[in-house]
PDB file of all heavy atoms in Angstrom:
ATOM      1  N   PRO A  52       0.790  -1.232  -0.044  1.00 97.00           N
ATOM      2  CA  PRO A  52       0.062  -0.061   0.025  1.00 97.00           C
ATOM      3  C   PRO A  52       0.829   1.281   0.008  1.00 97.00           C
ATOM      4  O   PRO A  52       1.856   1.339   0.813  1.00 97.00           O
ATOM      5  CB  PRO A  52      -0.859  -0.083   1.278  1.00 97.00           C
ATOM      6  CG  PRO A  52       0.033  -1.074   2.241  1.00 97.00           C
ATOM      7  CD  PRO A  52       0.708  -1.949   1.328  1.00 97.00           C
ATOM      8  N   CYS A  53       0.536   2.185  -0.869  1.00 96.00           N
ATOM      9  CA  CYS A  53       1.209   3.554  -0.935  1.00 96.00           C
ATOM     10  C   CYS A  53       0.177   4.599  -1.264  1.00 96.00           C
ATOM     11  O   CYS A  53      -0.833   4.339  -1.776  1.00 96.00           O
ATOM     12  CB  CYS A  53       2.229   3.517  -2.111  1.00 96.00           C
ATOM     13  SG  CYS A  53       3.527   2.235  -1.966  1.00 96.00           S
ATOM     14  N   SER A  54       0.573   5.810  -0.916  1.00 97.00           N
ATOM     15  CA  SER A  54      -0.325   6.948  -1.318  1.00 97.00           C
ATOM     16  C   SER A  54       0.038   7.344  -2.720  1.00 97.00           C
ATOM     17  O   SER A  54       1.194   7.598  -2.976  1.00 97.00           O
ATOM     18  CB  SER A  54      -0.162   8.105  -0.300  1.00 97.00           C
ATOM     19  OG  SER A  54       1.184   8.536  -0.292  1.00 97.00           O
ATOM     20  N   ALA A  55      -0.883   7.423  -3.587  1.00 98.00           N
ATOM     21  CA  ALA A  55      -0.669   7.678  -5.002  1.00 98.00           C
ATOM     22  C   ALA A  55      -0.107   9.066  -5.194  1.00 98.00           C
ATOM     23  O   ALA A  55       0.555   9.408  -6.240  1.00 98.00           O
ATOM     24  CB  ALA A  55      -1.905   7.410  -5.818  1.00 98.00           C
ATOM     25  N   CYS A  56      -0.468  10.026  -4.341  1.00 97.00           N
ATOM     26  CA  CYS A  56      -0.023  11.486  -4.508  1.00 97.00           C
ATOM     27  C   CYS A  56       1.403  11.669  -4.070  1.00 97.00           C
ATOM     28  O   CYS A  56       1.998  12.723  -4.468  1.00 97.00           O
ATOM     29  CB  CYS A  56      -0.972  12.328  -3.683  1.00 97.00           C
ATOM     30  SG  CYS A  56      -0.813  12.282  -1.897  1.00 97.00           S
ATOM     31  N   THR A  57       2.045  10.715  -3.343  1.00 97.00           N
ATOM     32  CA  THR A  57       3.507  10.966  -2.929  1.00 97.00           C
ATOM     33  C   THR A  57       4.399   9.842  -3.605  1.00 97.00           C
ATOM     34  O   THR A  57       5.641  10.011  -3.446  1.00 97.00           O
ATOM     35  CB  THR A  57       3.612  10.743  -1.455  1.00 97.00           C
ATOM     36  OG1 THR A  57       3.193   9.491  -0.991  1.00 97.00           O
ATOM     37  CG2 THR A  57       2.761  11.872  -0.774  1.00 97.00           C
ATOM     38  N   THR A  58       3.916   8.925  -4.275  1.00 98.00           N
ATOM     39  CA  THR A  58       4.757   7.833  -4.770  1.00 98.00           C
ATOM     40  C   THR A  58       5.105   8.080  -6.258  1.00 98.00           C
ATOM     41  O   THR A  58       4.262   8.198  -7.129  1.00 98.00           O
ATOM     42  CB  THR A  58       4.041   6.469  -4.725  1.00 98.00           C
ATOM     43  OG1 THR A  58       3.628   6.247  -3.292  1.00 98.00           O
ATOM     44  CG2 THR A  58       4.858   5.423  -5.229  1.00 98.00           C
ATOM     45  N   PRO A  59       6.441   8.235  -6.591  1.00 97.00           N
ATOM     46  CA  PRO A  59       6.780   8.461  -7.933  1.00 97.00           C
ATOM     47  C   PRO A  59       6.633   7.188  -8.821  1.00 97.00           C
ATOM     48  O   PRO A  59       6.831   6.019  -8.275  1.00 97.00           O
ATOM     49  CB  PRO A  59       8.225   8.860  -7.778  1.00 97.00           C
ATOM     50  CG  PRO A  59       8.765   8.310  -6.571  1.00 97.00           C
ATOM     51  CD  PRO A  59       7.513   8.292  -5.650  1.00 97.00           C
ATOM     52  N   VAL A  60       6.342   7.379 -10.044  1.00 98.00           N
ATOM     53  CA  VAL A  60       6.278   6.171 -10.974  1.00 98.00           C
ATOM     54  C   VAL A  60       7.644   5.648 -11.253  1.00 98.00           C
ATOM     55  O   VAL A  60       8.599   6.387 -11.334  1.00 98.00           O
ATOM     56  CB  VAL A  60       5.521   6.544 -12.296  1.00 98.00           C
ATOM     57  CG1 VAL A  60       4.105   6.906 -11.941  1.00 98.00           C
ATOM     58  CG2 VAL A  60       6.201   7.682 -12.974  1.00 98.00           C
ATOM     59  N   THR A  61       7.725   4.382 -11.545  1.00 97.00           N
ATOM     60  CA  THR A  61       8.919   3.666 -11.858  1.00 97.00           C
ATOM     61  C   THR A  61       8.599   2.783 -13.035  1.00 97.00           C
ATOM     62  O   THR A  61       7.476   2.294 -13.222  1.00 97.00           O
ATOM     63  CB  THR A  61       9.688   2.906 -10.768  1.00 97.00           C
ATOM     64  OG1 THR A  61       8.705   1.897 -10.239  1.00 97.00           O
ATOM     65  CG2 THR A  61       9.944   3.851  -9.640  1.00 97.00           C
ATOM     66  N   GLU A  62       9.585   2.403 -13.834  1.00 97.00           N
ATOM     67  CA  GLU A  62       9.344   1.553 -14.966  1.00 97.00           C
ATOM     68  C   GLU A  62       8.960   0.146 -14.493  1.00 97.00           C
ATOM     69  O   GLU A  62       9.435  -0.466 -13.605  1.00 97.00           O
ATOM     70  CB  GLU A  62      10.702   1.329 -15.745  1.00 97.00           C
ATOM     71  CG  GLU A  62      10.674   0.387 -16.905  1.00 97.00           C
ATOM     72  CD  GLU A  62       9.718   0.759 -17.989  1.00 97.00           C
ATOM     73  OE1 GLU A  62       9.480   2.017 -18.195  1.00 97.00           O
ATOM     74  OE2 GLU A  62       9.140  -0.139 -18.639  1.00 97.00           O
ATOM     75  N   GLY A  63       7.799  -0.247 -15.229  1.00 97.00           N
ATOM     76  CA  GLY A  63       7.257  -1.562 -14.856  1.00 97.00           C
ATOM     77  C   GLY A  63       6.325  -1.675 -13.636  1.00 97.00           C
ATOM     78  O   GLY A  63       6.043  -2.762 -13.240  1.00 97.00           O
ATOM     79  N   MET A  64       6.122  -0.529 -13.043  1.00 98.00           N
ATOM     80  CA  MET A  64       5.249  -0.574 -11.812  1.00 98.00           C
ATOM     81  C   MET A  64       3.933  -1.138 -12.002  1.00 98.00           C
ATOM     82  O   MET A  64       3.282  -0.815 -13.034  1.00 98.00           O
ATOM     83  CB  MET A  64       5.192   0.944 -11.274  1.00 98.00           C
ATOM     84  CG  MET A  64       4.278   1.178 -10.128  1.00 98.00           C
ATOM     85  SD  MET A  64       4.222   2.880  -9.652  1.00 98.00           S
ATOM     86  CE  MET A  64       5.647   3.135  -8.731  1.00 98.00           C
ATOM     87  N   ILE A  65       3.494  -1.973 -11.077  1.00 98.00           N
ATOM     88  CA  ILE A  65       2.091  -2.552 -11.138  1.00 98.00           C
ATOM     89  C   ILE A  65       1.305  -1.874 -10.059  1.00 98.00           C
ATOM     90  O   ILE A  65       1.592  -1.959  -8.850  1.00 98.00           O
ATOM     91  CB  ILE A  65       2.093  -4.081 -10.938  1.00 98.00           C
ATOM     92  CG1 ILE A  65       3.120  -4.712 -11.894  1.00 98.00           C
ATOM     93  CG2 ILE A  65       0.789  -4.644 -11.048  1.00 98.00           C
ATOM     94  CD1 ILE A  65       2.715  -4.597 -13.381  1.00 98.00           C
ATOM     95  N   VAL A  66       0.193  -1.262 -10.427  1.00 98.00           N
ATOM     96  CA  VAL A  66      -0.661  -0.516  -9.526  1.00 98.00           C
ATOM     97  C   VAL A  66      -2.073  -1.072  -9.467  1.00 98.00           C
ATOM     98  O   VAL A  66      -2.691  -1.307 -10.525  1.00 98.00           O
ATOM     99  CB  VAL A  66      -0.706   1.013  -9.916  1.00 98.00           C
ATOM    100  CG1 VAL A  66      -1.598   1.771  -8.919  1.00 98.00           C
ATOM    101  CG2 VAL A  66       0.697   1.572  -9.923  1.00 98.00           C
ATOM    102  N   GLU A  67      -2.542  -1.280  -8.303  1.00 98.00           N
ATOM    103  CA  GLU A  67      -3.930  -1.724  -8.138  1.00 98.00           C
ATOM    104  C   GLU A  67      -4.670  -0.603  -7.536  1.00 98.00           C
ATOM    105  O   GLU A  67      -4.288  -0.011  -6.460  1.00 98.00           O
ATOM    106  CB  GLU A  67      -4.065  -2.950  -7.174  1.00 98.00           C
ATOM    107  CG  GLU A  67      -3.342  -4.236  -7.725  1.00 98.00           C
ATOM    108  CD  GLU A  67      -3.441  -5.300  -6.778  1.00 98.00           C
ATOM    109  OE1 GLU A  67      -4.456  -5.776  -6.406  1.00 98.00           O
ATOM    110  OE2 GLU A  67      -2.292  -5.615  -6.237  1.00 98.00           O
ATOM    111  N   ASN A  68      -5.828  -0.145  -8.234  1.00 98.00           N
ATOM    112  CA  ASN A  68      -6.570   1.059  -7.783  1.00 98.00           C
ATOM    113  C   ASN A  68      -8.005   0.652  -7.523  1.00 98.00           C
ATOM    114  O   ASN A  68      -8.657   1.018  -6.586  1.00 98.00           O
ATOM    115  CB  ASN A  68      -6.452   2.075  -8.793  1.00 98.00           C
ATOM    116  CG  ASN A  68      -7.364   3.333  -8.481  1.00 98.00           C
ATOM    117  OD1 ASN A  68      -7.405   3.829  -7.387  1.00 98.00           O
ATOM    118  ND2 ASN A  68      -8.294   3.600  -9.499  1.00 98.00           N
ATOM    119  N   ASP A  69      -8.569  -0.121  -8.414  1.00 96.00           N
ATOM    120  CA  ASP A  69     -10.036  -0.411  -8.374  1.00 96.00           C
ATOM    121  C   ASP A  69     -10.180  -1.835  -7.910  1.00 96.00           C
ATOM    122  O   ASP A  69     -10.567  -2.747  -8.679  1.00 96.00           O
ATOM    123  CB  ASP A  69     -10.589  -0.232  -9.772  1.00 96.00           C
ATOM    124  CG  ASP A  69     -12.096  -0.366  -9.846  1.00 96.00           C
ATOM    125  OD1 ASP A  69     -12.702  -0.266  -8.733  1.00 96.00           O
ATOM    126  OD2 ASP A  69     -12.656  -0.580 -10.916  1.00 96.00           O
ATOM    127  N   THR A  70     -10.030  -2.051  -6.555  1.00 97.00           N
ATOM    128  CA  THR A  70     -10.242  -3.361  -6.020  1.00 97.00           C
ATOM    129  C   THR A  70     -11.288  -3.254  -4.902  1.00 97.00           C
ATOM    130  O   THR A  70     -11.521  -2.160  -4.343  1.00 97.00           O
ATOM    131  CB  THR A  70      -8.928  -3.945  -5.315  1.00 97.00           C
ATOM    132  OG1 THR A  70      -8.582  -3.162  -4.173  1.00 97.00           O
ATOM    133  CG2 THR A  70      -7.780  -3.988  -6.374  1.00 97.00           C
ATOM    134  N   GLU A  71     -11.837  -4.350  -4.599  1.00 97.00           N
ATOM    135  CA  GLU A  71     -12.976  -4.289  -3.568  1.00 97.00           C
ATOM    136  C   GLU A  71     -12.427  -3.824  -2.210  1.00 97.00           C
ATOM    137  O   GLU A  71     -13.122  -3.042  -1.504  1.00 97.00           O
ATOM    138  CB  GLU A  71     -13.553  -5.710  -3.469  1.00 97.00           C
ATOM    139  CG  GLU A  71     -14.729  -5.796  -2.477  1.00 97.00           C
ATOM    140  CD  GLU A  71     -15.390  -7.151  -2.455  1.00 97.00           C
ATOM    141  OE1 GLU A  71     -15.117  -7.961  -3.392  1.00 97.00           O
ATOM    142  OE2 GLU A  71     -16.178  -7.427  -1.548  1.00 97.00           O
ATOM    143  N   SER A  72     -11.202  -4.333  -1.814  1.00 97.00           N
ATOM    144  CA  SER A  72     -10.725  -3.878  -0.471  1.00 97.00           C
ATOM    145  C   SER A  72     -10.330  -2.477  -0.496  1.00 97.00           C
ATOM    146  O   SER A  72     -10.551  -1.727   0.556  1.00 97.00           O
ATOM    147  CB  SER A  72      -9.505  -4.835  -0.123  1.00 97.00           C
ATOM    148  OG  SER A  72      -8.387  -4.622  -1.116  1.00 97.00           O
ATOM    149  N   LEU A  73      -9.782  -1.948  -1.542  1.00 97.00           N
ATOM    150  CA  LEU A  73      -9.422  -0.454  -1.614  1.00 97.00           C
ATOM    151  C   LEU A  73     -10.715   0.369  -1.623  1.00 97.00           C
ATOM    152  O   LEU A  73     -10.758   1.453  -0.906  1.00 97.00           O
ATOM    153  CB  LEU A  73      -8.589  -0.182  -2.777  1.00 97.00           C
ATOM    154  CG  LEU A  73      -7.092  -0.543  -2.753  1.00 97.00           C
ATOM    155  CD1 LEU A  73      -6.409  -0.332  -4.089  1.00 97.00           C
ATOM    156  CD2 LEU A  73      -6.415   0.286  -1.665  1.00 97.00           C
ATOM    157  N   LEU A  74     -11.713  -0.048  -2.402  1.00 97.00           N
ATOM    158  CA  LEU A  74     -12.981   0.729  -2.361  1.00 97.00           C
ATOM    159  C   LEU A  74     -13.639   0.795  -1.015  1.00 97.00           C
ATOM    160  O   LEU A  74     -14.120   1.808  -0.546  1.00 97.00           O
ATOM    161  CB  LEU A  74     -13.899   0.135  -3.360  1.00 97.00           C
ATOM    162  CG  LEU A  74     -13.417   0.225  -4.895  1.00 97.00           C
ATOM    163  CD1 LEU A  74     -14.472  -0.401  -5.831  1.00 97.00           C
ATOM    164  CD2 LEU A  74     -13.188   1.642  -5.304  1.00 97.00           C
ATOM    165  N   GLU A  75     -13.522  -0.326  -0.277  1.00 97.00           N
ATOM    166  CA  GLU A  75     -14.050  -0.364   1.093  1.00 97.00           C
ATOM    167  C   GLU A  75     -13.318   0.466   2.087  1.00 97.00           C
ATOM    168  O   GLU A  75     -13.893   1.194   2.839  1.00 97.00           O
ATOM    169  CB  GLU A  75     -14.177  -1.922   1.504  1.00 97.00           C
ATOM    170  CG  GLU A  75     -14.646  -2.038   2.993  1.00 97.00           C
ATOM    171  CD  GLU A  75     -16.099  -1.486   3.103  1.00 97.00           C
ATOM    172  OE1 GLU A  75     -16.902  -1.430   2.134  1.00 97.00           O
ATOM    173  OE2 GLU A  75     -16.481  -1.108   4.262  1.00 97.00           O
ATOM    174  N   PHE A  76     -11.965   0.419   1.889  1.00 97.00           N
ATOM    175  CA  PHE A  76     -11.054   1.264   2.688  1.00 97.00           C
ATOM    176  C   PHE A  76     -11.475   2.796   2.515  1.00 97.00           C
ATOM    177  O   PHE A  76     -11.597   3.492   3.433  1.00 97.00           O
ATOM    178  CB  PHE A  76      -9.634   1.072   2.440  1.00 97.00           C
ATOM    179  CG  PHE A  76      -8.775   1.989   2.916  1.00 97.00           C
ATOM    180  CD1 PHE A  76      -8.342   2.099   4.315  1.00 97.00           C
ATOM    181  CD2 PHE A  76      -8.218   3.067   2.136  1.00 97.00           C
ATOM    182  CE1 PHE A  76      -7.559   3.049   4.803  1.00 97.00           C
ATOM    183  CE2 PHE A  76      -7.366   4.023   2.649  1.00 97.00           C
ATOM    184  CZ  PHE A  76      -6.992   4.027   4.074  1.00 97.00           C
ATOM    185  N   ARG A  77     -11.605   3.183   1.220  1.00 98.00           N
ATOM    186  CA  ARG A  77     -11.817   4.641   0.954  1.00 98.00           C
ATOM    187  C   ARG A  77     -13.208   4.951   1.407  1.00 98.00           C
ATOM    188  O   ARG A  77     -13.372   6.071   2.013  1.00 98.00           O
ATOM    189  CB  ARG A  77     -11.779   4.792  -0.557  1.00 98.00           C
ATOM    190  CG  ARG A  77     -10.325   4.719  -1.083  1.00 98.00           C
ATOM    191  CD  ARG A  77     -10.285   4.567  -2.601  1.00 98.00           C
ATOM    192  NE  ARG A  77      -8.951   4.484  -3.159  1.00 98.00           N
ATOM    193  CZ  ARG A  77      -8.645   4.039  -4.373  1.00 98.00           C
ATOM    194  NH1 ARG A  77      -9.615   3.810  -5.195  1.00 98.00           N
ATOM    195  NH2 ARG A  77      -7.443   3.983  -4.727  1.00 98.00           N
ATOM    196  N   LYS A  78     -14.204   4.097   1.315  1.00 98.00           N
ATOM    197  CA  LYS A  78     -15.546   4.383   1.748  1.00 98.00           C
ATOM    198  C   LYS A  78     -15.524   4.619   3.250  1.00 98.00           C
ATOM    199  O   LYS A  78     -16.114   5.573   3.714  1.00 98.00           O
ATOM    200  CB  LYS A  78     -16.477   3.310   1.354  1.00 98.00           C
ATOM    201  CG  LYS A  78     -17.942   3.545   1.762  1.00 98.00           C
ATOM    202  CD  LYS A  78     -18.855   2.429   1.182  1.00 98.00           C
ATOM    203  CE  LYS A  78     -20.297   2.652   1.565  1.00 98.00           C
ATOM    204  NZ  LYS A  78     -21.203   1.542   1.061  1.00 98.00           N
ATOM    205  N   MET A  79     -14.848   3.786   3.957  1.00 97.00           N
ATOM    206  CA  MET A  79     -14.742   3.909   5.380  1.00 97.00           C
ATOM    207  C   MET A  79     -14.030   5.216   5.801  1.00 97.00           C
ATOM    208  O   MET A  79     -14.486   5.875   6.752  1.00 97.00           O
ATOM    209  CB  MET A  79     -13.932   2.716   5.997  1.00 97.00           C
ATOM    210  CG  MET A  79     -13.771   2.676   7.512  1.00 97.00           C
ATOM    211  SD  MET A  79     -13.025   1.153   8.150  1.00 97.00           S
ATOM    212  CE  MET A  79     -11.381   1.397   7.340  1.00 97.00           C
ATOM    213  N   ALA A  80     -12.985   5.503   5.096  1.00 97.00           N
ATOM    214  CA  ALA A  80     -12.290   6.785   5.345  1.00 97.00           C
ATOM    215  C   ALA A  80     -13.156   8.068   5.137  1.00 97.00           C
ATOM    216  O   ALA A  80     -13.026   8.970   5.973  1.00 97.00           O
ATOM    217  CB  ALA A  80     -10.973   6.876   4.563  1.00 97.00           C
ATOM    218  N   ILE A  81     -13.952   8.000   4.185  1.00 98.00           N
ATOM    219  CA  ILE A  81     -14.887   9.085   3.817  1.00 98.00           C
ATOM    220  C   ILE A  81     -15.928   9.201   5.002  1.00 98.00           C
ATOM    221  O   ILE A  81     -16.260  10.277   5.448  1.00 98.00           O
ATOM    222  CB  ILE A  81     -15.569   8.932   2.498  1.00 98.00           C
ATOM    223  CG1 ILE A  81     -14.509   9.059   1.350  1.00 98.00           C
ATOM    224  CG2 ILE A  81     -16.692   9.949   2.259  1.00 98.00           C
ATOM    225  CD1 ILE A  81     -15.000   8.621   0.024  1.00 98.00           C
ATOM    226  N   GLU A  82     -16.457   8.088   5.357  1.00 98.00           N
ATOM    227  CA  GLU A  82     -17.410   8.052   6.468  1.00 98.00           C
ATOM    228  C   GLU A  82     -16.916   8.601   7.781  1.00 98.00           C
ATOM    229  O   GLU A  82     -17.587   9.414   8.547  1.00 98.00           O
ATOM    230  CB  GLU A  82     -17.974   6.641   6.750  1.00 98.00           C
ATOM    231  CG  GLU A  82     -18.761   6.098   5.595  1.00 98.00           C
ATOM    232  CD  GLU A  82     -19.244   4.599   5.883  1.00 98.00           C
ATOM    233  OE1 GLU A  82     -19.421   4.249   7.058  1.00 98.00           O
ATOM    234  OE2 GLU A  82     -19.293   3.846   4.891  1.00 98.00           O
ATOM    235  N   MET A  83     -15.586   8.278   8.034  1.00 97.00           N
ATOM    236  CA  MET A  83     -14.958   8.793   9.221  1.00 97.00           C
ATOM    237  C   MET A  83     -14.770  10.350   9.185  1.00 97.00           C
ATOM    238  O   MET A  83     -14.865  10.970  10.263  1.00 97.00           O
ATOM    239  CB  MET A  83     -13.688   8.043   9.405  1.00 97.00           C
ATOM    240  CG  MET A  83     -13.802   6.539   9.759  1.00 97.00           C
ATOM    241  SD  MET A  83     -12.266   5.698   9.918  1.00 97.00           S
ATOM    242  CE  MET A  83     -11.577   6.409  11.391  1.00 97.00           C
ATOM    243  N   LEU A  84     -14.501  10.842   8.046  1.00 97.00           N
ATOM    244  CA  LEU A  84     -14.367  12.305   7.903  1.00 97.00           C
ATOM    245  C   LEU A  84     -15.665  12.953   8.160  1.00 97.00           C
ATOM    246  O   LEU A  84     -15.751  14.025   8.797  1.00 97.00           O
ATOM    247  CB  LEU A  84     -13.877  12.622   6.497  1.00 97.00           C
ATOM    248  CG  LEU A  84     -12.375  12.412   6.191  1.00 97.00           C
ATOM    249  CD1 LEU A  84     -12.106  12.586   4.775  1.00 97.00           C
ATOM    250  CD2 LEU A  84     -11.519  13.358   7.157  1.00 97.00           C
ATOM    251  N   PHE A  85     -16.787  12.347   7.737  1.00 97.00           N
ATOM    252  CA  PHE A  85     -18.113  12.964   8.040  1.00 97.00           C
ATOM    253  C   PHE A  85     -18.456  12.980   9.490  1.00 97.00           C
ATOM    254  O   PHE A  85     -18.940  13.964   9.978  1.00 97.00           O
ATOM    255  CB  PHE A  85     -19.180  12.149   7.216  1.00 97.00           C
ATOM    256  CG  PHE A  85     -19.424  12.645   5.849  1.00 97.00           C
ATOM    257  CD1 PHE A  85     -19.034  11.914   4.755  1.00 97.00           C
ATOM    258  CD2 PHE A  85     -19.999  13.936   5.648  1.00 97.00           C
ATOM    259  CE1 PHE A  85     -19.265  12.284   3.423  1.00 97.00           C
ATOM    260  CE2 PHE A  85     -20.212  14.343   4.230  1.00 97.00           C
ATOM    261  CZ  PHE A  85     -19.821  13.514   3.245  1.00 97.00           C
ATOM    262  N   VAL A  86     -18.202  11.892  10.176  1.00 97.00           N
ATOM    263  CA  VAL A  86     -18.634  11.795  11.589  1.00 97.00           C
ATOM    264  C   VAL A  86     -17.663  12.555  12.498  1.00 97.00           C
ATOM    265  O   VAL A  86     -17.950  12.928  13.673  1.00 97.00           O
ATOM    266  CB  VAL A  86     -18.776  10.262  12.077  1.00 97.00           C
ATOM    267  CG1 VAL A  86     -19.726   9.580  11.181  1.00 97.00           C
ATOM    268  CG2 VAL A  86     -17.381   9.611  12.138  1.00 97.00           C
ATOM    269  N   GLU A  87     -16.394  12.760  12.037  1.00 96.00           N
ATOM    270  CA  GLU A  87     -15.430  13.441  12.929  1.00 96.00           C
ATOM    271  C   GLU A  87     -15.730  14.910  13.065  1.00 96.00           C
ATOM    272  O   GLU A  87     -15.336  15.603  14.013  1.00 96.00           O
ATOM    273  CB  GLU A  87     -14.007  13.194  12.394  1.00 96.00           C
ATOM    274  CG  GLU A  87     -12.868  13.692  13.189  1.00 96.00           C
ATOM    275  CD  GLU A  87     -12.617  15.261  12.969  1.00 96.00           C
ATOM    276  OE1 GLU A  87     -12.912  15.760  11.888  1.00 96.00           O
ATOM    277  OE2 GLU A  87     -12.040  15.831  13.946  1.00 96.00           O
ATOM    278  N   GLY A  88     -16.343  15.504  12.038  1.00 96.00           N
ATOM    279  CA  GLY A  88     -16.687  16.920  12.111  1.00 96.00           C
ATOM    280  C   GLY A  88     -18.220  17.150  12.197  1.00 96.00           C
ATOM    281  O   GLY A  88     -18.972  16.142  12.479  1.00 96.00           O
ATOM    282  N   ASN A  89     -18.639  18.344  11.859  1.00 96.00           N
ATOM    283  CA  ASN A  89     -20.090  18.667  11.833  1.00 96.00           C
ATOM    284  C   ASN A  89     -20.429  19.110  10.396  1.00 96.00           C
ATOM    285  O   ASN A  89     -20.270  20.267  10.080  1.00 96.00           O
ATOM    286  CB  ASN A  89     -20.468  19.702  12.840  1.00 96.00           C
ATOM    287  CG  ASN A  89     -20.226  19.251  14.230  1.00 96.00           C
ATOM    288  OD1 ASN A  89     -20.495  18.119  14.680  1.00 96.00           O
ATOM    289  ND2 ASN A  89     -19.661  20.127  15.116  1.00 96.00           N
ATOM    290  N   HIS A  90     -20.826  18.207   9.628  1.00 96.00           N
ATOM    291  CA  HIS A  90     -21.123  18.432   8.266  1.00 96.00           C
ATOM    292  C   HIS A  90     -22.595  18.376   7.974  1.00 96.00           C
ATOM    293  O   HIS A  90     -23.161  17.331   7.836  1.00 96.00           O
ATOM    294  CB  HIS A  90     -20.368  17.436   7.368  1.00 96.00           C
ATOM    295  CG  HIS A  90     -18.879  17.466   7.463  1.00 96.00           C
ATOM    296  ND1 HIS A  90     -18.108  18.405   6.790  1.00 96.00           N
ATOM    297  CD2 HIS A  90     -18.024  16.725   8.170  1.00 96.00           C
ATOM    298  CE1 HIS A  90     -16.776  18.211   7.124  1.00 96.00           C
ATOM    299  NE2 HIS A  90     -16.760  17.248   7.987  1.00 96.00           N
ATOM    300  N   PHE A  91     -23.169  19.528   7.871  1.00 94.00           N
ATOM    301  CA  PHE A  91     -24.659  19.615   7.597  1.00 94.00           C
ATOM    302  C   PHE A  91     -24.807  20.043   6.103  1.00 94.00           C
ATOM    303  O   PHE A  91     -25.023  21.276   5.901  1.00 94.00           O
ATOM    304  CB  PHE A  91     -25.419  20.526   8.519  1.00 94.00           C
ATOM    305  CG  PHE A  91     -25.126  20.046   9.986  1.00 94.00           C
ATOM    306  CD1 PHE A  91     -24.284  20.768  10.830  1.00 94.00           C
ATOM    307  CD2 PHE A  91     -25.916  19.017  10.542  1.00 94.00           C
ATOM    308  CE1 PHE A  91     -24.042  20.355  12.104  1.00 94.00           C
ATOM    309  CE2 PHE A  91     -25.785  18.652  11.812  1.00 94.00           C
ATOM    310  CZ  PHE A  91     -24.873  19.311  12.614  1.00 94.00           C
ATOM    311  N   CYS A  92     -24.736  19.103   5.150  1.00 94.00           N
ATOM    312  CA  CYS A  92     -24.751  19.469   3.863  1.00 94.00           C
ATOM    313  C   CYS A  92     -25.824  20.331   3.357  1.00 94.00           C
ATOM    314  O   CYS A  92     -25.760  21.276   2.483  1.00 94.00           O
ATOM    315  CB  CYS A  92     -24.618  18.216   2.883  1.00 94.00           C
ATOM    316  SG  CYS A  92     -23.080  17.223   3.186  1.00 94.00           S
ATOM    317  N   MET A  93     -27.050  20.139   3.898  1.00 91.00           N
ATOM    318  CA  MET A  93     -28.187  20.835   3.344  1.00 91.00           C
ATOM    319  C   MET A  93     -28.187  22.284   3.710  1.00 91.00           C
ATOM    320  O   MET A  93     -28.864  23.062   3.115  1.00 91.00           O
ATOM    321  CB  MET A  93     -29.477  20.234   3.913  1.00 91.00           C
ATOM    322  CG  MET A  93     -29.698  20.279   5.401  1.00 91.00           C
ATOM    323  SD  MET A  93     -28.573  19.259   6.402  1.00 91.00           S
ATOM    324  CE  MET A  93     -29.088  17.591   5.949  1.00 91.00           C
ATOM    325  N   PHE A  94     -27.374  22.703   4.685  1.00 92.00           N
ATOM    326  CA  PHE A  94     -27.210  24.031   5.176  1.00 92.00           C
ATOM    327  C   PHE A  94     -25.866  24.682   4.759  1.00 92.00           C
ATOM    328  O   PHE A  94     -25.717  25.871   5.010  1.00 92.00           O
ATOM    329  CB  PHE A  94     -27.415  24.257   6.662  1.00 92.00           C
ATOM    330  CG  PHE A  94     -28.744  23.684   7.162  1.00 92.00           C
ATOM    331  CD1 PHE A  94     -28.816  22.653   8.045  1.00 92.00           C
ATOM    332  CD2 PHE A  94     -29.920  24.193   6.645  1.00 92.00           C
ATOM    333  CE1 PHE A  94     -30.039  22.090   8.470  1.00 92.00           C
ATOM    334  CE2 PHE A  94     -31.225  23.659   7.128  1.00 92.00           C
ATOM    335  CZ  PHE A  94     -31.179  22.695   8.008  1.00 92.00           C
ATOM    336  N   CYS A  95     -24.973  23.854   4.146  1.00 95.00           N
ATOM    337  CA  CYS A  95     -23.712  24.421   3.854  1.00 95.00           C
ATOM    338  C   CYS A  95     -23.702  25.125   2.551  1.00 95.00           C
ATOM    339  O   CYS A  95     -24.158  24.712   1.514  1.00 95.00           O
ATOM    340  CB  CYS A  95     -22.661  23.220   3.861  1.00 95.00           C
ATOM    341  SG  CYS A  95     -20.947  23.721   3.560  1.00 95.00           S
TER     342      CYS A  95
END
């Protein structure tokens, strides 16, 4: 696992982006951002 925004490309690099486990991890991270703050989208 690496952050795509900080990892430089190299010749022959194999990258997995669209996998079930990564999508679930990202979904969980987004949910955590929502509950950590006070986000009332309808009034923002």
Side-chain angles (χ1 to χ4, degrees):
C53 302
S54 57
C56 68
T57 62
T58 303
V60 293
T61 58
E62 175 62 31
M64 173 183 280
I65 306 296
V66 179
E67 297 174 67
N68 169 56
D69 189 15
T70 70
E71 185 176 344
S72 59
L73 281 173
L74 295 177
E75 178 59 23
F76 165 77
R77 291 166 180 165
K78 185 175 181 179
M79 181 175 64
I81 293 166
E82 291 179 34
M83 292 176 70
L84 285 172
F85 272 111
V86 304
E87 186 276 335
N89 296 319
H90 299 277
F91 302 102
C92 296
M93 66 291 292
F94 302 119
C95 180

